[in-house]
Amino acid sequence: MVMHSSWVPFSGNYFAIRRIGHCVLPVLLVCGAPLLASAQVSVLTQRYDNSRTGQDTSETILTPSNVNSTQFGKLFAQPIDDQAYAQPLYVPNLLIGNSTHNVVFVATEADSVYAFDADSNSGANANPLWKASLIDTAHGAASGALPVTSTQTGCTDTQPNIGVTSTPVIDPATGTMYVEAKSYEGGNYIHRLHALNITTGAEKSPGPVVITATVNGTGDGSSGGKLTFNPLMQHSRPGILLSNGTIYMAFASHCDFSPYHGWVFAYDATTFAQKGVLNTTANGGLGGVWMSGAGLAADSAGNVYLATGNGTFDTSNIPATEWGDSIVKMALSGGKLSVLDYFTPFDQSNLSSSDTDVGSGGLLLVPDQPGSHPHELVELSKAGSIYLVDRDVMTANNLHYCSNCSSDSQIVEELSGAIGGAWSAPAYWNNNLYVWGSNDFLKAYALSNGLISGAFTSKSTNSGDDHGDTPIVSSNGTANGIVWAIDRPNANVPAVLYAYNATDVSQLLYSSSQAAGNRDAAGFGVKFAVPTVVNGKAYVGTSSELDVYGLFSGGVPQTETPAFSPAAGTYASAQSVTLSDTTSGATIYYTTDGSTPTISSTPYTGPISVTQTTTINAMATASGLNNSPVATATYTIQAINFVHVQGNSAVSGATGANTISLTMLNPVTAGNLMVCGLSGADPTNTTLVSLKDQAGNLY
């Protein structure tokens, strides 16, 4: 892979920028105060680079020999306010305020973006380094703006909020993060492109800009021969692409609800001027750009690649003007975004009618190959096919689509039904492809002379979830390869982080479900989630927290069970409960609402006042672990404060937690006695009440 450096200015200072393929990494400060100054690796875009290879070949810390449940596990978690569909991004040695941090960035469906210290959640790093709300007035939104909800879209696919779904992209040369966000403001639905300062989260000029366009077309939702972008119906899933100074974003819908289309927007990264728009089905419908969150891809010449879902494909016009179920190559030319080439499978009509999208999964631009097809791409489909396509001439003789064929012989290769339906993307490393389809096994295929091996070379022993998982690979060059993936069994259980030996994926190195006591359990899983593995740690976005995994320092961290004083039991009066732990420096977290405590719960700082029957759940950890053993104590308070007896006042004389002796102030006959009210903290029918008159006669 070719590496070279060029000087790039930022705020009066200059940095050496090393370009590795399509990924831009800061490596050297020349003068002035550092913004980005390190030889460490950055993760600036979805799946590491614009080719979307999903590989980090500069990982020198994590190896197949130390990624195991004894040496590796969950270090800590940071709470976030909603689901993190976007892949975490990472910038090392970033100056924020007066301190330098390795920083991990997380965007959520609540329209929030967080910057966390990537290595610690203690002390000054316990809170976010910054948090930006893209729906406040400082970020261009109207007062009172909210995320869009699943109730408003009618789709529970992303719930309860729809804010930021696509993975942002960072330009290290200007210290800018580009983010697409959806909001609801004053009865209007709005998509905006934002430019955030990565050191503060503040909006930068020229951001933000409202994303909209009108094109010629008679398709679904059009009026008078014009088709306008519908901000309620359209949803941006694919990761944002930054290529040659242009920002590309793509859209499909919520739950396949019409009317919608596939839209692609191109904006100038410096001015936010709209440079081009493409509608994939302007005279038809559907054709969304889904790709299960995988980013739009680009080659070094600036050509952009994507795949579309089921929708209109006009077989009477070849070359087509509607591109449902197609792999598309496009570029900016003459002030417009134009389709340069495309491939549509021979069975497109069947694929569209059965909703087995070509573009359900993401695509990957394969590094240059020997043989007659040096420039290739791989796409995974919902039908479980693996398509291998020549990027230079996507189909033999520019056939594009063969209506009379029984196979896709016009492309380099197709492995039909090789995997379970793909709502995922492939990864590449060392002439291997890694794919994980729906309810299938992780599979490795070999690449040789530009062709994929007909059969997989190895597969995992465990299967994945019903959408498939997107793998990524960490390695030190061609050594120490590890395949990572996040599995989401369902929305209401912890996600599972897996690590496999990349040379033989039947060897499971690590799973976050292996350690006893749920030590390494992640937060609840998010569909399409992709881990970020960089500089010795793995970062996992979930529905409520960012989980951070890495090597333990000095062995497996200690987890302790806190002790309660007084002990659990039944008491006649309110109690002051203290919690303690035997480990020096341990932090105790507790809840009183019945939920399981985490490191996001209330930290114990002093006695807990218990005035009514209460169950306290507590955990203690000296290591920031989110899943330490939980201790439980229930305090039942049964004091009686007032009794009214058939119109006669009585005085309380509690002698025990379950025995109450009352003396009546006025004599009455036994036949008229009736206890009308017991007030206090949780009297129960197990309480024994004795009534006496002032002479001591027992009734």
Side-chain angles (χ1 to χ4, degrees):
M1 189 170 286
V2 177
M3 303 173 63
H4 64 273
S5 297
S6 58
W7 297 116
V8 179
F10 176 77
S11 299
N13 302 313
Y14 284 80
F15 302 85
I17 299 297
R18 174 171 292 171
R19 301 184 185 276
I20 303 179
H22 301 293
C23 190
V24 184
L25 309 177
V27 295
L28 177 66
L29 174 70
V30 177
C31 63
L35 171 69
L36 306 175
S38 171
Q40 294 187 67
V41 171
S42 296
V43 182
L44 309 173
T45 191
Q46 205 265 351
R47 292 171 57 224
Y48 295 98
D49 52 41
N50 283 0
S51 293
R52 312 304 182 188
T53 60
Q55 63 173 341
D56 170 16
T57 58
S58 300
E59 178 55 58
T60 60
I61 299 173
L62 301 177
T63 70
S65 63
N66 61 25
V67 175
N68 54 67
S69 59
T70 300
Q71 297 170 271
F72 180 91
K74 186 173 179 180
L75 302 179
F76 61 90
Q78 287 281 20
I80 55 178
D81 58 9
D82 210 329
Q83 294 178 317
Y85 271 72
Q87 182 180 357
L89 301 178
Y90 180 93
V91 175
N93 292 331
L94 183 62
L95 184 63
I96 295 182
N98 296 318
S99 301
T100 300
H101 303 263
N102 295 329
V103 181
V104 58
F105 300 91
V106 182
T108 77
E109 295 292 352
D111 279 314
S112 298
V113 180
Y114 293 83
F116 293 111
D117 185 278
D119 303 310
S120 169
N121 71 334
S122 62
N125 297 324
N127 297 314
L129 302 174
W130 55 256
K131 177 187 176 184
S133 173
L134 304 186
I135 49 175
D136 63 21
T137 56
H139 291 84
S143 179
L146 297 168
V148 177
T149 69
S150 55
T151 300
Q152 291 168 314
T153 64
C155 172
T156 58
D157 189 44
T158 306
Q159 60 173 311
N161 296 316
I162 302 102
V164 179
T165 302
S166 60
T167 300
V169 64
I170 294 174
D171 180 4
T174 61
T176 306
M177 177 188 293
Y178 299 103
V179 190
E180 190 278 337
K182 186 169 185 172
S183 60
Y184 180 67
E185 305 174 24
N188 298 310
Y189 298 93
I190 296 174
H191 291 266
R192 286 189 179 90
L193 172 61
H194 294 267
L196 303 185
N197 184 321
I198 62 172
T199 65
T200 64
E203 193 81 34
K204 297 180 64 176
S205 178
V209 64
V210 174
I211 300 167
T212 189
T214 299
V215 298
N216 294 326
T218 58
D220 294 349
S222 65
S223 177
K226 298 291 183 180
L227 185 61
T228 298
F229 180 78
N230 186 324
L232 169 61
M233 304 303 292
Q234 303 290 160
H235 185 202
S236 181
R237 292 175 183 266
I240 297 176
L241 169 68
L242 175 61
S243 175
N244 293 345
T246 301
I247 301 163
Y248 296 89
M249 295 166 290
F251 292 78
S253 78
H254 301 279
C255 282
D256 232 354
F257 290 164
S258 293
Y260 79 91
H261 302 265
W263 288 84
V264 184
F265 292 87
Y267 284 87
D268 187 283
T270 301
T271 65
F272 272 18
Q274 192 176 94
K275 299 174 69 174
V277 178
L278 180 76
N279 188 298
T280 64
T281 54
N283 296 305
L286 312 185
V289 186
W290 305 86
M291 297 172 58
S292 298
L296 303 180
D299 60 25
S300 57
N303 299 309
V304 177
Y305 301 84
L306 56 83
T308 64
N310 61 302
T312 303
F313 179 78
D314 187 359
T315 59
S316 64
N317 291 305
I318 303 297
T321 56
E322 313 289 319
W323 298 280
D325 282 308
S326 300
I327 300 172
V328 178
K329 175 182 180 179
M330 61 181 61
L332 283 168
S333 177
K336 58 187 289 189
L337 192 56
S338 302
V339 172
L340 303 180
D341 200 356
Y342 69 94
F343 156 65
T344 307
F346 77 97
D347 54 349
Q348 185 275 335
S349 178
N350 291 333
L351 295 175
S352 185
S353 61
S354 61
D355 191 25
T356 44
D357 306 23
V358 168
S360 64
L363 52 78
L364 178 156
L365 307 189
V366 180
D368 288 0
Q369 294 292 300
S372 57
H373 302 285
H375 307 130
E376 297 175 322
L377 66 79
V378 174
E379 167 64 14
L380 308 181
S381 80
K382 197 188 292 186
S385 294
I386 303 175
Y387 298 106
L388 182 65
V389 178
D390 189 320
R391 304 198 311 265
D392 296 328
V393 181
M394 298 182 75
T395 54
N397 300 315
N398 282 319
L399 186 61
H400 300 300
Y401 165 78
C402 182
S403 60
N404 299 315
C405 294
S406 58
S407 66
D408 291 311
S409 57
Q410 73 270 37
I411 62 174
V412 177
E413 190 176 8
E414 177 185 359
L415 301 183
S416 180
I419 60 174
W423 287 263
S424 57
Y428 171 91
W429 176 71
N430 203 24
N431 291 318
N432 293 284
L433 286 174
Y434 303 91
V435 294
W436 202 337
S438 169
N439 294 314
D440 199 357
F441 301 90
L442 169 65
K443 295 175 180 177
Y445 288 85
L447 267 172
S448 178
N449 292 317
L451 294 175
I452 305 173
S453 57
F456 55 80
T457 56
S458 64
K459 72 173 185 176
S460 63
T461 57
N462 62 295
S463 60
D465 63 39
D466 61 359
H467 282 84
D469 304 311
T470 294
I472 61 99
V473 183
S474 67
S475 72
N476 186 2
T478 59
N480 293 330
I482 300 174
V483 181
W484 306 81
I486 300 170
D487 194 55
R488 176 185 183 257
N490 64 59
N492 299 310
V493 299
V496 180
L497 176 66
Y498 287 112
Y500 301 87
N501 190 328
T503 60
D504 180 359
V505 297
S506 69
Q507 297 178 19
L508 176 64
L509 305 174
Y510 170 82
S511 162
S512 59
S513 62
Q514 287 175 331
N518 295 321
R519 185 197 71 191
D520 295 345
F524 286 179
V526 175
K527 189 168 60 174
F528 310 145
V530 181
T532 297
V533 180
V534 60
N535 293 332
K537 292 185 174 65
Y539 301 92
V540 175
T542 73
S543 63
S544 62
E545 63 192 33
L546 171 72
D547 294 312
V548 182
Y549 294 81
L551 297 176
F552 298 135
S553 176
V556 177
Q558 290 181 302
T559 59
E560 301 294 334
T561 303
F564 296 82
S565 180
T570 303
Y571 295 89
S573 61
Q575 298 296 303
S576 180
V577 178
T578 59
L579 303 178
S580 60
D581 185 76
T582 59
T583 301
S584 176
T587 302
I588 300 173
Y589 302 90
Y590 73 93
T591 63
T592 57
D593 61 0
S595 63
T596 301
T598 71
I599 61 171
S600 302
S601 303
T602 304
Y604 174 78
T605 57
I608 304 167
S609 178
V610 177
T611 60
Q612 60 185 356
T613 296
T614 302
T615 297
I616 301 175
N617 293 316
M619 57 166 271
T621 174
S623 314
L625 287 174
N626 196 29
N627 294 92
S628 297
V630 174
T632 298
T634 300
Y635 296 87
T636 302
I637 310 300
Q638 291 188 342
I640 302 300
N641 298 322
F642 174 78
V643 175
H644 188 73
V645 183
Q646 190 68 18
N648 294 275
S649 297
V651 295
S652 175
T655 58
N658 295 91
T659 302
I660 307 298
S661 178
L662 302 172
T663 301
M664 295 180 293
L665 299 179
N666 300 304
V668 296
T669 62
N672 291 331
L673 283 178
M674 181 174 67
V675 177
C676 297
L678 296 176
S679 67
D682 195 29
T684 71
N685 58 13
T686 61
T687 300
L688 302 177
V689 180
S690 62
L691 299 176
K692 298 179 181 180
D693 62 18
Q694 290 177 315
N697 298 314
L698 181 65
Y699 289 89

